Amino acid sequence: MIDFSLSEDLLEIQARARKFAQEEILPIAAEYDRKAEVPPGIADKAKAAGLMNVTIPKQYGGMGYGALESAIIAEELGAACSGISITILVNGLALTPIQLFGTEEQKRKFLCPATEGAKLASFCLTERDAGSDASSLKTTALPDGDDFVINGQKCFITSGSMAEVMTVFALTDPSRGPRGVSAIVVPADTPGIHVTKIEDKMGQRASDTVELTFEDVRVPQENLLGKPGRGFPIALQTLDFGRSGVAALSVGVARAALEYAIARAKERHQFGAPILANQGISFMLADMATKVEAARLLTWQAAWFADHGQKVTDKSAMAKCYASDTAMEVTTDAVQIFGGYGYMKDYPVEKLMRDAKLLQIYEGTNQIQRMVIARQLGK
């Protein structure tokens, strides 16, 4: 039998995440959106609440949760502020390659310090000319003795100026093209790593997004994850696992916008009645609510598939694509329901709309997601 109810353990996780989101994130969301800063100490607070590094196994200091638990947490945090939340959640993306492909020694060396001190991590894949086409990387990590020497640039790196460990994708054999890309763990304090630009974003402003330059950055070859030339499959498998998290974050943003819109439609009176009584508004809300529910179910399905070891490429792409499109549509409709007030920073829905746009872009644009889905259909 299919059972859509949450177990007592999942309900406890959901309640804990919601309490943290409403008490620690929501009250400061607008302030740090204006400042375009990550709130100091937010990672430590998340760790104390058991909401940091949730998919890392317990033996390495994580919570040992699966994709479904992670998705439930991401929705609650996203409903408060996706910008602040991504600082907490991106560790999962950055550390997953180590968790999935690292040796036991690498896991002890890199995962344990990251989890013990709520240290931040970065996933360094994107480049200026290799965004959606991640196979066109130009950054190199050329062998030199027992080391790799890394040169190149990475852009749009979340927590890039704050991270203490990075998973970097670079060409260890440029002659092989995409098959020459490898994944390498790089401590962020390694000489030669420079923050060359801090991005000024439209939305999700309370997160750290930077451009990094690597100049003769020397790391031991023992930091290689998996085999040489396996970096691109490692990146794809990591993104497959992580996209349900972006989908869940999208559901949280959309849910918050829907809740604000319903409350506004009840309290706002025009022509002697609440605007909720207007069929044009009530039908908008009905469609918004339906899409939020559908997005959540797609997200939970993708997470369930990941937790049960099944191929999740198409499911995670569908969830990420549909949920982030829903977030954009629902937040836009919420602004419309608020009318002129919705366009003002005095009200929360304009921020939700700005935040939602990025969900359609990072971890693979939704056009790329549709390509992924279509290719899977062809198989």
Side-chain angles (χ1 to χ4, degrees), residues 42-372:
I42 193 66
D44 292 315
K45 292 179 180 179
K47 181 181 186 303
L51 302 173
M52 190 84 177
N53 301 313
V54 296
T55 58
I56 302 299
K58 290 182 178 180
Q59 63 262 40
Y60 307 115
M63 296 299 295
Y65 293 160
L68 182 56
E69 290 94 336
S70 179
I72 288 170
I73 291 169
E75 177 181 336
E76 296 304 326
L77 300 186
C81 176
S82 57
I84 294 174
S85 299
I86 199 65
T87 299
I88 299 168
L89 299 172
V90 78
N91 264 32
L93 177 68
L95 298 177
T96 290
I98 305 173
Q99 176 185 336
L100 294 181
F101 300 97
T103 63
E104 183 63 26
E105 182 180 355
Q106 288 172 329
K107 292 175 184 178
R108 297 284 177 191
K109 182 177 180 180
F110 297 115
L111 293 182
C112 292
T115 57
E116 287 170 4
K119 296 177 181 177
L120 297 179
S122 285
F123 185 78
C124 299
L125 175 64
T126 303
E127 299 179 7
R128 292 286 173 189
D129 296 321
S132 296
D133 183 11
S135 64
S136 298
L137 299 180
K138 297 294 190 294
T139 296
T140 58
L142 302 181
D144 183 23
D146 293 331
D147 297 335
F148 288 117
V149 179
I150 305 174
N151 283 282
Q153 286 187 324
K154 297 291 181 179
C155 68
F156 309 145
I157 305 303
T158 303
S159 298
S161 72
M162 306 171 68
E164 298 199 29
V165 65
M166 303 172 174
T167 302
V168 178
F169 295 85
L171 289 161
T172 51
D173 185 353
S175 68
R176 300 188 65 207
R179 294 183 179 180
V181 174
S182 299
I184 304 167
V185 184
V186 181
D189 60 357
T190 306
I193 302 176
H194 309 288
V195 176
T196 46
K197 184 181 181 185
I198 298 175
E199 301 293 351
D200 186 8
K201 305 188 297 293
M202 176 175 74
Q204 297 195 20
R205 292 172 54 79
S207 63
D208 176 59
T209 307
V210 304
E211 179 181 83
L212 296 173
T213 297
F214 296 79
E215 294 182 340
D216 294 328
V217 175
R218 187 174 288 271
V219 295
Q221 289 197 30
E222 65 187 25
N223 287 14
L224 176 74
L225 293 175
K227 296 179 180 180
R230 296 297 296 166
F232 197 46
I234 288 173
L236 291 179
Q237 188 168 335
T238 300
L239 290 169
D240 278 351
F241 184 82
R243 282 182 181 130
S244 61
V246 177
L249 197 63
S250 302
V251 174
V253 171
R255 189 192 88 198
L258 173 63
E259 291 170 352
Y260 284 125
I262 293 171
R264 182 65 175 173
K266 289 179 178 179
E267 69 184 21
R268 173 71 169 167
H269 283 66
Q270 293 284 274
F271 307 107
I275 63 172
L276 182 60
N278 185 305
Q279 188 179 78
I281 300 297
S282 65
F283 278 16
M284 284 177 68
L285 290 167
D287 287 342
M288 292 158 71
T290 300
K291 289 175 181 178
V292 170
E293 292 293 326
R296 182 182 293 111
L297 289 175
L298 268 176
T299 300
W300 285 6
Q301 176 187 244
W304 186 91
F305 267 70
D307 285 340
H308 286 77
Q310 300 188 39
K311 186 172 176 59
V312 76
T313 301
D314 57 343
K315 297 295 188 292
S316 65
M318 289 175 182
K320 190 272 184 185
C321 184
Y322 185 82
S324 57
D325 279 352
T326 293
M328 191 72 251
E329 184 175 344
V330 169
T331 56
T332 301
D333 286 346
V335 170
Q336 190 71 22
I337 289 171
F338 270 72
Y341 294 104
Y343 206 66
M344 305 302 159
K345 290 184 180 293
D346 297 337
Y347 292 82
V349 289
E350 65 85 28
K351 175 185 178 298
L352 290 169
M353 182 178 171
R354 287 188 286 108
D355 289 348
K357 187 61 206 174
L358 188 53
L359 297 166
Q360 294 180 302
I361 297 172
Y362 60 25
E363 291 200 36
T365 66
N366 283 3
Q367 287 70 33
I368 291 295
Q369 303 307 321
R370 287 176 169 85
M371 288 175 61
V372 170

